[in-house]
Amino acid sequence: MWSRSLWINETDTMSYAEHGVQGFGFGYGGYIFSLHILWSTFGEIDQVFRGLSLLCSVLTMILIYLMSEEFIGEGSGVVPSFIFACSSYSIEFGMQVREYAVHSLILMLITYWFIRTSREVEESQSNIPEKFGILASFGVWYVSVHWFCMIYLVMLFSSFASTYLPAIFFGRNKEELAVPIKLLPPVITTILILSIQTFSMIRGIANSMNGEHHLGGGSVPLVILPPMDFLGKISSESVIVSILIISSLFIGLNGITKNSGKKSVKFENSLILSVAAVWLILCFSQYKLHGLIVERYFYFWFPILSFYSGSVVYQFIGKVSKYSRERYLIKEIFPYIAIFLVAISVDISPKSTYYGSMREGFEVVNNEVGESEFSIVSRPPEHILNYYLRQFDLEPQIVIGAWHSNELDRVAISELDTEIVVVMALQGGWILEESEPILEEAGYSKDSKVFQEQGDTIWVWRK
Amino acid sequence: MIVEAPHSQLLIWFSSFFSGMALFLFSSQILGIRTFSTVVTISLFTFIVILSIIRPPIWWKTSIHQVRIIISGFFLSCLIIEVINQFEGFWPSVFWVDVVFVLIVTSFMVLSGFREYIYWNLGIFTISIAAMVDSILRLVDPYQTMPKLGILRASLWTMINFSMIWRGEINKTFKEIGVLIGSLVGFFSYIGMVTGRIRFVGDSFAIPNEMISLIFAYSVVLFPWLILSIIYRGDS
């Protein structure tokens, strides 16, 4: 995956990154601008853009370890960070030139700051707004371009707010009700951004229920990943990991009921329920909302889910070591036993079929067309191809592209008059069947299939 | 409540005003150097402010009011020359809005009866933030160019800003108030110049979407912190 060329969704991302500051005017966020900075600094090197995602994934793994050690207990960090690192899910998204790895790191950092600050406030009652927390507000803005990141933040803040509900509605612990001021600014930032986005979100849901892509642009099919397959993907088909994930839910519930009568409820216990809620909502809504890709959007919750799985191991160690004389030995050894069990049970096979070999395909096209005038007919649209067209200095006279058959400009294809027409089917073969009769009528004959690999096919037609 | 300045203070004010008018009329109408008035005014002002912060002369404390009267007269003459230049069809100087703001702050201190209640440092700090924000917006805007005088402007106000912070001339609460109000004034200045609402020459242009997005981002990230911090410190 590391050495493969970018695939169509990644070159789509890079087409946004061309714009720089103007991208903010089109609604592109901080991640796209970060790519633009990397592009301007290092040039078009695929590994640089992949490297950003990989770096963020590694940092997320380290953060999971640190959070677990700090909030759950010493010795609990190894298992959750290992679950995250060796998961097909995180490997698949961890190197993509898309916002998932970067945004999930930022969301996890915000979560860490939120939990830590809320605990500090409980202990020391220090309420002076904190300058470092401005980074949390900046992080909120950075990720705000993706609606599911905003949903994550709403759930994080709601989980926190829910700890105050007993005091507000039942009068319990009212005298200790002290809202930590320093946590409010990122919440206010989220509310302000959501107030701008709400109308677009409602329109997106309406589009999706009507069979269109949530961002508009034509009808898309339902993409279904059955719930148990979804759980299998998250757990890398490991029974051990599935048990840890499900058990963490019960530990969270137990934590809420145990602490409900106490002075303060650690809101992290409520947060695990939000993970479960999102999983359920995605599982059910995928049958109604077109274009909803559950595995992609749930990725923002995967680091926190890995974090919570550590709590299971820690609780287990705590229970067993109570009744054993060899407490120290159990605390030291058991995490590694758990890692061993996870390692032998996971099936690390990240989905890489759609990666294709666009770069090699364009290299072949470059050799085929030489100095001749040529056009391109493609699935996907033109802007997806620009990244590699530039790298090979290819200048087609015209590019006629579309995502779906109903968007294809057939009239333009029939009017082509260049010496060569290159037909590119990248991760979708309908373009070959649709364009064939039109090109034959226009006087072209199919020369050869010059390239085929991993779902990418390229044909050359000559006059 | 407007309080009339005493006779000697009126004399000082008129002297500085007419001196400025004579000098700037000569430079703009005879020599044709249109930006002379604003560049000299702001540069001198910067020099005076930084000197007063870093190494105030012995007579500074006793004569500060007279200094502000001179600044007020001088800046008014600069403003009038700048307006004349614009009506003659010349593009406003990059220091145009700074002249207006300094004139407002200084004149209010000089003419009103509330000078002992007005925090001069807060006014200058706020204008420095406004100038810095305005300069950054013009630098980031892909449809604007940053002339050399724009860089000079940003440098002068940055020096004033850093001097005030470095020497502790402004406390934390007033710093936050200054950043908040200064940012808003900076947005107003940038938007006003692009749309033509605060100049007398040139066409009106729309604010690019990307700049609106960035202004919104800056506001939603920073302002909640500033407002809460100001309120909390006020309560404390």
Side-chain angles (χ1 to χ4, degrees), chain A residues 21-22 24-25 128-131 133-134 137 141 181-182 184-185 189 196, chain B residues 140 142 176 209-210 213-214 216-217 220-222 224-225 228-229 232:
Chain A
V21 171
Q22 281 99 326
F24 290 114
I128 303 286
E130 185 191 285
K131 292 294 184 290
I134 289 177
S137 295
W141 168 77
I181 303 290
K182 64 170 85 173
L184 290 183
T189 304
I196 304 290
Chain B
V140 171
E176 284 158 356
N209 284 341
E210 51 267 38
S213 298
L214 289 173
F216 175 75
V220 296
V221 169
L222 192 60
W225 285 99
L228 235 55
S229 189
Y232 187 80

PDB file of all heavy atoms in Angstrom, chain A residues 21-22 24-25 128-131 133-134 137 141 181-182 184-185 189 196, chain B residues 140 142 176 209-210 213-214 216-217 220-222 224-225 228-229 232:
ATOM      1  N   VAL A  21      -5.038  28.838  -0.639  1.00  0.00           N
ATOM      2  CA  VAL A  21      -5.944  29.659   0.185  1.00  0.00           C
ATOM      3  C   VAL A  21      -7.339  29.703  -0.432  1.00  0.00           C
ATOM      4  O   VAL A  21      -8.343  29.721   0.285  1.00  0.00           O
ATOM      5  CB  VAL A  21      -5.366  31.081   0.344  1.00  0.00           C
ATOM      6  CG1 VAL A  21      -6.378  32.011   0.987  1.00  0.00           C
ATOM      7  CG2 VAL A  21      -4.106  31.046   1.191  1.00  0.00           C
ATOM      8  N   GLN A  22      -7.413  29.731  -1.772  1.00  0.00           N
ATOM      9  CA  GLN A  22      -8.735  29.774  -2.419  1.00  0.00           C
ATOM     10  C   GLN A  22      -9.596  28.585  -2.027  1.00  0.00           C
ATOM     11  O   GLN A  22     -10.825  28.654  -2.094  1.00  0.00           O
ATOM     12  CB  GLN A  22      -8.602  29.789  -3.955  1.00  0.00           C
ATOM     13  CG  GLN A  22      -8.257  31.137  -4.532  1.00  0.00           C
ATOM     14  CD  GLN A  22      -6.789  31.232  -4.836  1.00  0.00           C
ATOM     15  OE1 GLN A  22      -5.962  30.662  -4.141  1.00  0.00           O
ATOM     16  NE2 GLN A  22      -6.455  31.943  -5.888  1.00  0.00           N
ATOM     17  N   PHE A  24     -10.263  27.475   0.822  1.00  0.00           N
ATOM     18  CA  PHE A  24     -11.161  27.784   1.943  1.00  0.00           C
ATOM     19  C   PHE A  24     -12.468  28.367   1.432  1.00  0.00           C
ATOM     20  O   PHE A  24     -13.514  28.193   2.034  1.00  0.00           O
ATOM     21  CB  PHE A  24     -10.487  28.761   2.918  1.00  0.00           C
ATOM     22  CG  PHE A  24      -9.354  28.159   3.687  1.00  0.00           C
ATOM     23  CD1 PHE A  24      -8.053  28.593   3.489  1.00  0.00           C
ATOM     24  CD2 PHE A  24      -9.580  27.147   4.607  1.00  0.00           C
ATOM     25  CE1 PHE A  24      -6.999  28.032   4.189  1.00  0.00           C
ATOM     26  CE2 PHE A  24      -8.528  26.573   5.313  1.00  0.00           C
ATOM     27  CZ  PHE A  24      -7.231  27.027   5.098  1.00  0.00           C
ATOM     28  N   GLY A  25     -12.407  29.065   0.309  1.00  0.00           N
ATOM     29  CA  GLY A  25     -13.617  29.624  -0.285  1.00  0.00           C
ATOM     30  C   GLY A  25     -14.534  28.568  -0.862  1.00  0.00           C
ATOM     31  O   GLY A  25     -15.741  28.768  -0.979  1.00  0.00           O
ATOM     32  N   ILE A 128      -9.373  29.346  35.539  1.00  0.00           N
ATOM     33  CA  ILE A 128      -8.882  30.384  34.639  1.00  0.00           C
ATOM     34  C   ILE A 128      -8.814  29.796  33.228  1.00  0.00           C
ATOM     35  O   ILE A 128      -8.244  28.736  33.028  1.00  0.00           O
ATOM     36  CB  ILE A 128      -7.461  30.856  35.031  1.00  0.00           C
ATOM     37  CG1 ILE A 128      -7.445  31.368  36.465  1.00  0.00           C
ATOM     38  CG2 ILE A 128      -6.977  31.907  34.065  1.00  0.00           C
ATOM     39  CD1 ILE A 128      -8.079  32.705  36.650  1.00  0.00           C
ATOM     40  N   PRO A 129      -9.436  30.491  32.237  1.00  0.00           N
ATOM     41  CA  PRO A 129      -9.350  29.979  30.861  1.00  0.00           C
ATOM     42  C   PRO A 129      -7.896  29.817  30.436  1.00  0.00           C
ATOM     43  O   PRO A 129      -7.051  30.635  30.719  1.00  0.00           O
ATOM     44  CB  PRO A 129     -10.039  31.085  30.050  1.00  0.00           C
ATOM     45  CG  PRO A 129     -10.956  31.725  30.998  1.00  0.00           C
ATOM     46  CD  PRO A 129     -10.277  31.663  32.335  1.00  0.00           C
ATOM     47  N   GLU A 130      -7.634  28.747  29.779  1.00  0.00           N
ATOM     48  CA  GLU A 130      -6.266  28.319  29.546  1.00  0.00           C
ATOM     49  C   GLU A 130      -5.873  28.575  28.112  1.00  0.00           C
ATOM     50  O   GLU A 130      -6.576  28.203  27.176  1.00  0.00           O
ATOM     51  CB  GLU A 130      -6.220  26.826  29.851  1.00  0.00           C
ATOM     52  CG  GLU A 130      -4.870  26.185  29.793  1.00  0.00           C
ATOM     53  CD  GLU A 130      -5.029  24.673  29.849  1.00  0.00           C
ATOM     54  OE1 GLU A 130      -5.305  24.158  30.943  1.00  0.00           O
ATOM     55  OE2 GLU A 130      -4.915  24.041  28.798  1.00  0.00           O
ATOM     56  N   LYS A 131      -4.718  29.218  27.925  1.00  0.00           N
ATOM     57  CA  LYS A 131      -4.289  29.562  26.575  1.00  0.00           C
ATOM     58  C   LYS A 131      -4.046  28.322  25.730  1.00  0.00           C
ATOM     59  O   LYS A 131      -4.303  28.299  24.535  1.00  0.00           O
ATOM     60  CB  LYS A 131      -3.019  30.407  26.633  1.00  0.00           C
ATOM     61  CG  LYS A 131      -3.228  31.790  27.234  1.00  0.00           C
ATOM     62  CD  LYS A 131      -4.132  32.648  26.353  1.00  0.00           C
ATOM     63  CE  LYS A 131      -4.278  34.062  26.866  1.00  0.00           C
ATOM     64  NZ  LYS A 131      -5.058  34.171  28.084  1.00  0.00           N
ATOM     65  N   GLY A 133      -5.598  25.710  25.651  1.00  0.00           N
ATOM     66  CA  GLY A 133      -6.860  25.191  25.142  1.00  0.00           C
ATOM     67  C   GLY A 133      -7.286  25.833  23.833  1.00  0.00           C
ATOM     68  O   GLY A 133      -8.186  25.313  23.175  1.00  0.00           O
ATOM     69  N   ILE A 134      -6.638  26.965  23.455  1.00  0.00           N
ATOM     70  CA  ILE A 134      -6.958  27.561  22.154  1.00  0.00           C
ATOM     71  C   ILE A 134      -6.671  26.555  21.047  1.00  0.00           C
ATOM     72  O   ILE A 134      -7.343  26.541  20.016  1.00  0.00           O
ATOM     73  CB  ILE A 134      -6.152  28.866  21.937  1.00  0.00           C
ATOM     74  CG1 ILE A 134      -6.683  29.960  22.845  1.00  0.00           C
ATOM     75  CG2 ILE A 134      -6.223  29.332  20.491  1.00  0.00           C
ATOM     76  CD1 ILE A 134      -5.925  31.249  22.774  1.00  0.00           C
ATOM     77  N   SER A 137      -9.705  24.572  20.422  1.00  0.00           N
ATOM     78  CA  SER A 137     -10.662  25.281  19.557  1.00  0.00           C
ATOM     79  C   SER A 137     -10.186  25.262  18.111  1.00  0.00           C
ATOM     80  O   SER A 137     -10.983  25.109  17.179  1.00  0.00           O
ATOM     81  CB  SER A 137     -10.819  26.729  20.011  1.00  0.00           C
ATOM     82  OG  SER A 137     -11.399  26.797  21.283  1.00  0.00           O
ATOM     83  N   TRP A 141     -12.047  23.650  14.704  1.00  0.00           N
ATOM     84  CA  TRP A 141     -12.211  24.268  13.377  1.00  0.00           C
ATOM     85  C   TRP A 141     -11.568  23.413  12.293  1.00  0.00           C
ATOM     86  O   TRP A 141     -12.130  23.217  11.216  1.00  0.00           O
ATOM     87  CB  TRP A 141     -11.580  25.667  13.351  1.00  0.00           C
ATOM     88  CG  TRP A 141     -11.481  26.194  11.952  1.00  0.00           C
ATOM     89  CD1 TRP A 141     -12.492  26.711  11.182  1.00  0.00           C
ATOM     90  CD2 TRP A 141     -10.321  26.171  11.112  1.00  0.00           C
ATOM     91  NE1 TRP A 141     -12.031  27.017   9.928  1.00  0.00           N
ATOM     92  CE2 TRP A 141     -10.711  26.703   9.853  1.00  0.00           C
ATOM     93  CE3 TRP A 141      -9.006  25.769  11.290  1.00  0.00           C
ATOM     94  CZ2 TRP A 141      -9.815  26.837   8.798  1.00  0.00           C
ATOM     95  CZ3 TRP A 141      -8.122  25.900  10.234  1.00  0.00           C
ATOM     96  CH2 TRP A 141      -8.529  26.430   9.007  1.00  0.00           C
ATOM     97  N   ILE A 181     -14.885  26.410  33.427  1.00  0.00           N
ATOM     98  CA  ILE A 181     -14.957  27.458  32.411  1.00  0.00           C
ATOM     99  C   ILE A 181     -14.062  27.150  31.217  1.00  0.00           C
ATOM    100  O   ILE A 181     -14.432  27.378  30.070  1.00  0.00           O
ATOM    101  CB  ILE A 181     -14.530  28.812  33.031  1.00  0.00           C
ATOM    102  CG1 ILE A 181     -15.404  29.152  34.229  1.00  0.00           C
ATOM    103  CG2 ILE A 181     -14.572  29.915  31.990  1.00  0.00           C
ATOM    104  CD1 ILE A 181     -16.816  29.502  33.889  1.00  0.00           C
ATOM    105  N   LYS A 182     -12.875  26.595  31.509  1.00  0.00           N
ATOM    106  CA  LYS A 182     -11.897  26.459  30.429  1.00  0.00           C
ATOM    107  C   LYS A 182     -12.312  25.443  29.377  1.00  0.00           C
ATOM    108  O   LYS A 182     -11.713  25.372  28.314  1.00  0.00           O
ATOM    109  CB  LYS A 182     -10.521  26.130  30.979  1.00  0.00           C
ATOM    110  CG  LYS A 182     -10.410  24.819  31.692  1.00  0.00           C
ATOM    111  CD  LYS A 182      -8.956  24.483  31.984  1.00  0.00           C
ATOM    112  CE  LYS A 182      -8.468  25.113  33.246  1.00  0.00           C
ATOM    113  NZ  LYS A 182      -7.119  24.677  33.624  1.00  0.00           N
ATOM    114  N   LEU A 184     -15.353  25.431  28.105  1.00  0.00           N
ATOM    115  CA  LEU A 184     -16.453  26.011  27.320  1.00  0.00           C
ATOM    116  C   LEU A 184     -16.063  26.556  25.944  1.00  0.00           C
ATOM    117  O   LEU A 184     -16.847  26.414  24.995  1.00  0.00           O
ATOM    118  CB  LEU A 184     -17.153  27.108  28.133  1.00  0.00           C
ATOM    119  CG  LEU A 184     -17.972  26.621  29.323  1.00  0.00           C
ATOM    120  CD1 LEU A 184     -18.669  27.789  30.014  1.00  0.00           C
ATOM    121  CD2 LEU A 184     -19.002  25.583  28.909  1.00  0.00           C
ATOM    122  N   PRO A 185     -14.900  27.221  25.788  1.00  0.00           N
ATOM    123  CA  PRO A 185     -14.625  27.809  24.466  1.00  0.00           C
ATOM    124  C   PRO A 185     -14.683  26.847  23.293  1.00  0.00           C
ATOM    125  O   PRO A 185     -15.301  27.186  22.277  1.00  0.00           O
ATOM    126  CB  PRO A 185     -13.248  28.448  24.650  1.00  0.00           C
ATOM    127  CG  PRO A 185     -13.230  28.841  26.078  1.00  0.00           C
ATOM    128  CD  PRO A 185     -13.934  27.717  26.783  1.00  0.00           C
ATOM    129  N   THR A 189     -17.145  27.164  20.118  1.00  0.00           N
ATOM    130  CA  THR A 189     -16.666  27.106  18.725  1.00  0.00           C
ATOM    131  C   THR A 189     -17.462  26.077  17.936  1.00  0.00           C
ATOM    132  O   THR A 189     -17.886  26.341  16.804  1.00  0.00           O
ATOM    133  CB  THR A 189     -15.171  26.738  18.694  1.00  0.00           C
ATOM    134  OG1 THR A 189     -14.434  27.674  19.471  1.00  0.00           O
ATOM    135  CG2 THR A 189     -14.636  26.722  17.271  1.00  0.00           C
ATOM    136  N   ILE A 196     -23.716  27.201  11.348  1.00  0.00           N
ATOM    137  CA  ILE A 196     -23.535  27.494   9.923  1.00  0.00           C
ATOM    138  C   ILE A 196     -23.830  26.251   9.082  1.00  0.00           C
ATOM    139  O   ILE A 196     -24.353  26.334   7.978  1.00  0.00           O
ATOM    140  CB  ILE A 196     -22.076  27.959   9.644  1.00  0.00           C
ATOM    141  CG1 ILE A 196     -21.698  29.163  10.502  1.00  0.00           C
ATOM    142  CG2 ILE A 196     -21.865  28.248   8.171  1.00  0.00           C
ATOM    143  CD1 ILE A 196     -22.409  30.434  10.125  1.00  0.00           C
TER     144      ILE A 196
ATOM    145  N   VAL B 140      -2.807  37.606   2.973  1.00  0.00           N
ATOM    146  CA  VAL B 140      -3.380  36.296   2.663  1.00  0.00           C
ATOM    147  C   VAL B 140      -4.316  36.371   1.456  1.00  0.00           C
ATOM    148  O   VAL B 140      -4.423  35.424   0.680  1.00  0.00           O
ATOM    149  CB  VAL B 140      -4.128  35.742   3.903  1.00  0.00           C
ATOM    150  CG1 VAL B 140      -4.927  34.505   3.571  1.00  0.00           C
ATOM    151  CG2 VAL B 140      -3.143  35.438   5.015  1.00  0.00           C
ATOM    152  N   PRO B 142      -5.649  36.453  -1.908  1.00  0.00           N
ATOM    153  CA  PRO B 142      -4.954  36.201  -3.172  1.00  0.00           C
ATOM    154  C   PRO B 142      -5.181  37.290  -4.227  1.00  0.00           C
ATOM    155  O   PRO B 142      -4.472  37.328  -5.225  1.00  0.00           O
ATOM    156  CB  PRO B 142      -5.542  34.861  -3.643  1.00  0.00           C
ATOM    157  CG  PRO B 142      -6.821  34.704  -2.928  1.00  0.00           C
ATOM    158  CD  PRO B 142      -6.722  35.471  -1.666  1.00  0.00           C
ATOM    159  N   GLU B 176      -6.378  41.420  26.375  1.00  0.00           N
ATOM    160  CA  GLU B 176      -7.423  40.607  25.752  1.00  0.00           C
ATOM    161  C   GLU B 176      -8.514  41.487  25.143  1.00  0.00           C
ATOM    162  O   GLU B 176      -8.999  41.211  24.043  1.00  0.00           O
ATOM    163  CB  GLU B 176      -8.017  39.643  26.794  1.00  0.00           C
ATOM    164  CG  GLU B 176      -7.087  38.475  27.080  1.00  0.00           C
ATOM    165  CD  GLU B 176      -7.326  37.805  28.419  1.00  0.00           C
ATOM    166  OE1 GLU B 176      -8.184  38.284  29.188  1.00  0.00           O
ATOM    167  OE2 GLU B 176      -6.652  36.799  28.700  1.00  0.00           O
ATOM    168  N   ASN B 209     -14.689  34.657  -0.931  1.00  0.00           N
ATOM    169  CA  ASN B 209     -15.247  33.659  -0.007  1.00  0.00           C
ATOM    170  C   ASN B 209     -14.191  33.105   0.937  1.00  0.00           C
ATOM    171  O   ASN B 209     -14.474  32.845   2.115  1.00  0.00           O
ATOM    172  CB  ASN B 209     -15.861  32.493  -0.785  1.00  0.00           C
ATOM    173  CG  ASN B 209     -17.190  32.843  -1.393  1.00  0.00           C
ATOM    174  OD1 ASN B 209     -17.834  33.801  -0.978  1.00  0.00           O
ATOM    175  ND2 ASN B 209     -17.601  32.098  -2.391  1.00  0.00           N
ATOM    176  N   GLU B 210     -12.973  32.921   0.419  1.00  0.00           N
ATOM    177  CA  GLU B 210     -11.941  32.335   1.269  1.00  0.00           C
ATOM    178  C   GLU B 210     -11.598  33.261   2.417  1.00  0.00           C
ATOM    179  O   GLU B 210     -11.300  32.792   3.528  1.00  0.00           O
ATOM    180  CB  GLU B 210     -10.686  31.993   0.463  1.00  0.00           C
ATOM    181  CG  GLU B 210     -10.135  33.085  -0.406  1.00  0.00           C
ATOM    182  CD  GLU B 210     -10.673  33.009  -1.823  1.00  0.00           C
ATOM    183  OE1 GLU B 210     -11.859  32.678  -1.992  1.00  0.00           O
ATOM    184  OE2 GLU B 210      -9.921  33.305  -2.755  1.00  0.00           O
ATOM    185  N   SER B 213     -14.268  32.960   5.009  1.00  0.00           N
ATOM    186  CA  SER B 213     -14.073  31.714   5.769  1.00  0.00           C
ATOM    187  C   SER B 213     -12.967  31.873   6.807  1.00  0.00           C
ATOM    188  O   SER B 213     -13.103  31.414   7.945  1.00  0.00           O
ATOM    189  CB  SER B 213     -13.682  30.564   4.842  1.00  0.00           C
ATOM    190  OG  SER B 213     -14.685  30.298   3.928  1.00  0.00           O
ATOM    191  N   LEU B 214     -11.871  32.514   6.416  1.00  0.00           N
ATOM    192  CA  LEU B 214     -10.750  32.656   7.345  1.00  0.00           C
ATOM    193  C   LEU B 214     -11.085  33.617   8.479  1.00  0.00           C
ATOM    194  O   LEU B 214     -10.703  33.389   9.628  1.00  0.00           O
ATOM    195  CB  LEU B 214      -9.503  33.127   6.591  1.00  0.00           C
ATOM    196  CG  LEU B 214      -8.885  32.077   5.661  1.00  0.00           C
ATOM    197  CD1 LEU B 214      -7.764  32.664   4.824  1.00  0.00           C
ATOM    198  CD2 LEU B 214      -8.361  30.890   6.462  1.00  0.00           C
ATOM    199  N   PHE B 216     -14.060  34.121   9.660  1.00  0.00           N
ATOM    200  CA  PHE B 216     -14.979  33.357  10.511  1.00  0.00           C
ATOM    201  C   PHE B 216     -14.188  32.387  11.387  1.00  0.00           C
ATOM    202  O   PHE B 216     -14.436  32.277  12.604  1.00  0.00           O
ATOM    203  CB  PHE B 216     -15.993  32.595   9.643  1.00  0.00           C
ATOM    204  CG  PHE B 216     -16.906  31.696  10.422  1.00  0.00           C
ATOM    205  CD1 PHE B 216     -17.954  32.215  11.169  1.00  0.00           C
ATOM    206  CD2 PHE B 216     -16.731  30.319  10.411  1.00  0.00           C
ATOM    207  CE1 PHE B 216     -18.799  31.391  11.890  1.00  0.00           C
ATOM    208  CE2 PHE B 216     -17.572  29.484  11.134  1.00  0.00           C
ATOM    209  CZ  PHE B 216     -18.610  30.023  11.875  1.00  0.00           C
ATOM    210  N   ALA B 217     -13.215  31.689  10.788  1.00  0.00           N
ATOM    211  CA  ALA B 217     -12.421  30.715  11.540  1.00  0.00           C
ATOM    212  C   ALA B 217     -11.662  31.408  12.681  1.00  0.00           C
ATOM    213  O   ALA B 217     -11.664  30.939  13.825  1.00  0.00           O
ATOM    214  CB  ALA B 217     -11.435  30.005  10.610  1.00  0.00           C
ATOM    215  N   VAL B 220     -14.249  32.386  15.473  1.00  0.00           N
ATOM    216  CA  VAL B 220     -14.857  31.331  16.289  1.00  0.00           C
ATOM    217  C   VAL B 220     -13.816  30.612  17.142  1.00  0.00           C
ATOM    218  O   VAL B 220     -14.146  30.024  18.166  1.00  0.00           O
ATOM    219  CB  VAL B 220     -15.655  30.297  15.456  1.00  0.00           C
ATOM    220  CG1 VAL B 220     -16.825  30.943  14.777  1.00  0.00           C
ATOM    221  CG2 VAL B 220     -14.795  29.541  14.491  1.00  0.00           C
ATOM    222  N   VAL B 221     -12.535  30.624  16.695  1.00  0.00           N
ATOM    223  CA  VAL B 221     -11.498  29.964  17.491  1.00  0.00           C
ATOM    224  C   VAL B 221     -11.063  30.866  18.654  1.00  0.00           C
ATOM    225  O   VAL B 221     -10.959  30.414  19.793  1.00  0.00           O
ATOM    226  CB  VAL B 221     -10.282  29.605  16.599  1.00  0.00           C
ATOM    227  CG1 VAL B 221      -9.096  29.159  17.443  1.00  0.00           C
ATOM    228  CG2 VAL B 221     -10.665  28.503  15.614  1.00  0.00           C
ATOM    229  N   LEU B 222     -10.828  32.132  18.354  1.00  0.00           N
ATOM    230  CA  LEU B 222     -10.198  33.006  19.349  1.00  0.00           C
ATOM    231  C   LEU B 222     -11.187  33.726  20.252  1.00  0.00           C
ATOM    232  O   LEU B 222     -10.964  33.865  21.458  1.00  0.00           O
ATOM    233  CB  LEU B 222      -9.333  34.033  18.611  1.00  0.00           C
ATOM    234  CG  LEU B 222      -8.376  34.850  19.460  1.00  0.00           C
ATOM    235  CD1 LEU B 222      -7.389  33.938  20.177  1.00  0.00           C
ATOM    236  CD2 LEU B 222      -7.610  35.842  18.590  1.00  0.00           C
ATOM    237  N   PRO B 224     -14.240  33.176  21.629  1.00  0.00           N
ATOM    238  CA  PRO B 224     -14.779  32.573  22.862  1.00  0.00           C
ATOM    239  C   PRO B 224     -13.776  32.605  24.006  1.00  0.00           C
ATOM    240  O   PRO B 224     -14.150  32.872  25.162  1.00  0.00           O
ATOM    241  CB  PRO B 224     -15.116  31.141  22.439  1.00  0.00           C
ATOM    242  CG  PRO B 224     -15.381  31.220  20.991  1.00  0.00           C
ATOM    243  CD  PRO B 224     -14.420  32.262  20.481  1.00  0.00           C
ATOM    244  N   TRP B 225     -12.495  32.352  23.712  1.00  0.00           N
ATOM    245  CA  TRP B 225     -11.477  32.386  24.760  1.00  0.00           C
ATOM    246  C   TRP B 225     -11.326  33.791  25.337  1.00  0.00           C
ATOM    247  O   TRP B 225     -11.248  33.976  26.554  1.00  0.00           O
ATOM    248  CB  TRP B 225     -10.125  31.919  24.201  1.00  0.00           C
ATOM    249  CG  TRP B 225     -10.079  30.454  24.012  1.00  0.00           C
ATOM    250  CD1 TRP B 225     -10.266  29.751  22.860  1.00  0.00           C
ATOM    251  CD2 TRP B 225      -9.902  29.467  25.030  1.00  0.00           C
ATOM    252  NE1 TRP B 225     -10.207  28.403  23.098  1.00  0.00           N
ATOM    253  CE2 TRP B 225      -9.977  28.208  24.415  1.00  0.00           C
ATOM    254  CE3 TRP B 225      -9.681  29.531  26.411  1.00  0.00           C
ATOM    255  CZ2 TRP B 225      -9.839  27.016  25.120  1.00  0.00           C
ATOM    256  CZ3 TRP B 225      -9.540  28.342  27.118  1.00  0.00           C
ATOM    257  CH2 TRP B 225      -9.619  27.107  26.475  1.00  0.00           C
ATOM    258  N   LEU B 228     -14.571  34.890  27.341  1.00  0.00           N
ATOM    259  CA  LEU B 228     -14.692  34.190  28.621  1.00  0.00           C
ATOM    260  C   LEU B 228     -13.618  34.636  29.589  1.00  0.00           C
ATOM    261  O   LEU B 228     -13.858  34.786  30.795  1.00  0.00           O
ATOM    262  CB  LEU B 228     -14.586  32.676  28.373  1.00  0.00           C
ATOM    263  CG  LEU B 228     -15.740  31.842  28.911  1.00  0.00           C
ATOM    264  CD1 LEU B 228     -17.074  32.328  28.388  1.00  0.00           C
ATOM    265  CD2 LEU B 228     -15.552  30.380  28.560  1.00  0.00           C
ATOM    266  N   SER B 229     -12.418  34.825  29.064  1.00  0.00           N
ATOM    267  CA  SER B 229     -11.312  35.247  29.912  1.00  0.00           C
ATOM    268  C   SER B 229     -11.582  36.635  30.477  1.00  0.00           C
ATOM    269  O   SER B 229     -11.336  36.890  31.658  1.00  0.00           O
ATOM    270  CB  SER B 229     -10.026  35.239  29.079  1.00  0.00           C
ATOM    271  OG  SER B 229      -8.915  35.438  29.896  1.00  0.00           O
ATOM    272  N   TYR B 232     -14.391  36.338  33.063  1.00  0.00           N
ATOM    273  CA  TYR B 232     -13.955  35.655  34.280  1.00  0.00           C
ATOM    274  C   TYR B 232     -13.024  36.532  35.089  1.00  0.00           C
ATOM    275  O   TYR B 232     -13.133  36.605  36.314  1.00  0.00           O
ATOM    276  CB  TYR B 232     -13.278  34.330  33.943  1.00  0.00           C
ATOM    277  CG  TYR B 232     -12.989  33.547  35.189  1.00  0.00           C
ATOM    278  CD1 TYR B 232     -13.990  32.813  35.815  1.00  0.00           C
ATOM    279  CD2 TYR B 232     -11.729  33.594  35.780  1.00  0.00           C
ATOM    280  CE1 TYR B 232     -13.741  32.136  36.985  1.00  0.00           C
ATOM    281  CE2 TYR B 232     -11.484  32.907  36.953  1.00  0.00           C
ATOM    282  CZ  TYR B 232     -12.491  32.177  37.555  1.00  0.00           C
ATOM    283  OH  TYR B 232     -12.245  31.512  38.728  1.00  0.00           O
TER     284      TYR B 232
END
